[in-house]
Amino acid sequence: MLEVAIAIKNLIFNYGKLRVIDNISLEIPTGISFGLLGSNGAGKTTLIRLMVGLLKPAGGSIFSLGHPPSPVIARNTGYMPQLPALYNELTVEENIDFFARIYGLRDGRVRSARIEEVLRLIELWQKRKTPVSQLSGGMKQRVSLGCAVVHQPRLLFLDEPTAGLDPDLRISFWEYFNSLTENGVTLIISSHTMDDAARCRRLAFLQEGKVIAQGSPAELKEGTGRADASLEDAFLYYIRRARVKENV
């Protein structure tokens, strides 16, 4: 197994004249949950879309599982976008079946077994024949997760996966995420909540398209020099430090 699941070097991305990703370099180890923490507009979603291969960088490089973005890598990748990309007129089961086919699960028996497994995992077996248009926001999040994991990817990108979920469902999601990493799956999770960040093995703090700090939650808190620092304290500390450096 590769020790590094994703290697990013000097990555740059612009929207027109605006630089959104500014010379980011990261190495994400295999089989961990890696969090991207930052406020809205920090570049989290853009960075994920670059890693998935949906956007082309203006400079730098990305290697996933030892290769640049390609159809081969795409088959080993699951992506849960911030806003569910589902077909409202299709049922829960039909949506997951559609994505299973897109990801290459051609054998009907294997696909059916996997779809049932996922439906029970996301606790929507009883609603499998329900059109997505009739679901609540939290249920749509569950369907979106099911679509992202049905093909058992080695890399799983989750953009704000717990946004809008109630506490019980958030815990359920994280129990599943932890089970994936225990089986060697690498998770890249974007969030702006400290609850999600604290559950990640490693974190990168983003501000204005730059990585301003990275490490484990414990290391980042320790870096503030305060024994009683919370993760939120650490985030604010590194933001202030980055601003001071910019003004020097």
Side-chain angles (χ1 to χ4, degrees):
M1 181 180 292
L2 292 170
E3 292 185 1
V4 176
I6 300 176
I8 299 172
K9 187 174 183 180
N10 303 129
L11 191 66
I12 294 172
F13 182 80
N14 304 315
Y15 278 124
K17 295 182 179 180
L18 179 64
R19 178 148 295 181
V20 181
I21 298 297
D22 191 359
N23 200 36
I24 284 180
S25 294
L26 286 172
E27 283 194 349
I28 301 177
T30 297
I32 71 164
S33 51
F34 190 97
L36 303 172
L37 185 71
S39 58
N40 291 332
K44 304 185 302 295
T45 295
T46 301
L47 182 55
I48 282 183
R49 296 187 74 188
L50 284 161
M51 287 190 277
V52 172
L54 295 176
L55 296 175
K56 184 177 180 180
S61 63
I62 303 173
F63 283 82
S64 300
L65 304 177
H67 302 277
S70 68
V72 172
I73 296 303
R75 287 196 292 271
N76 288 292
T77 298
Y79 174 42
M80 179 181 174
Q82 186 173 359
L83 298 176
L86 303 172
Y87 295 93
N88 284 326
E89 68 275 14
L90 299 182
T91 66
V92 171
E93 186 174 38
E94 288 169 341
N95 266 278
I96 297 175
D97 179 71
F98 173 79
F99 281 94
R101 293 171 185 266
I102 290 294
Y103 281 121
L105 293 183
R106 304 302 181 192
D107 187 294
R109 287 180 297 179
V110 172
R111 189 171 66 252
S112 293
R114 182 60 186 156
I115 291 170
E116 179 176 346
E117 182 180 349
V118 167
L119 283 166
R120 294 191 184 279
L121 168 73
I122 61 176
E123 299 180 1
L124 287 177
W125 175 253
Q126 299 300 326
K127 290 187 175 290
R128 63 189 183 279
K129 302 299 183 183
T130 302
V132 163
S133 60
Q134 297 178 19
L135 299 180
S136 66
M139 288 184 180
K140 288 180 180 179
Q141 285 283 86
R142 283 191 263 173
V143 179
S144 187
L145 177 61
C147 292
V149 302
V150 66
H151 59 302
Q152 297 177 300
R154 293 169 60 190
L155 294 173
L156 182 57
F157 296 88
L158 305 166
D159 194 357
E160 302 280 0
T162 65
L165 299 184
D166 60 60
D168 287 344
L169 190 52
R170 182 179 290 111
I171 290 171
S172 178
F173 267 38
W174 270 104
E175 287 175 347
Y176 178 60
F177 297 160
N178 291 335
S179 73
L180 290 175
T181 57
E182 288 172 2
N183 285 287
V185 179
T186 304
L187 275 63
I188 297 88
I189 302 169
S190 79
S191 183
H192 60 268
T193 71
M194 297 301 156
D195 180 68
D196 282 342
R199 296 173 184 271
C200 293
R201 179 82 65 83
R202 293 187 65 81
L203 294 169
F205 289 163
L206 269 65
Q207 177 72 4
E208 297 180 350
K210 298 178 181 179
V211 173
I212 58 174
Q214 58 179 304
S216 69
E219 289 168 345
L220 290 166
K221 288 187 285 187
E222 184 179 345
T224 66
R226 286 178 46 192
D228 62 343
S230 67
L231 197 54
E232 184 174 9
D233 292 332
F235 182 59
L236 295 174
Y237 168 82
Y238 289 109
I239 286 178
R240 294 189 188 105
R241 191 178 71 170
R243 288 172 179 167
V244 169
K245 287 183 178 179
E246 287 179 0
N247 294 326
V248 171

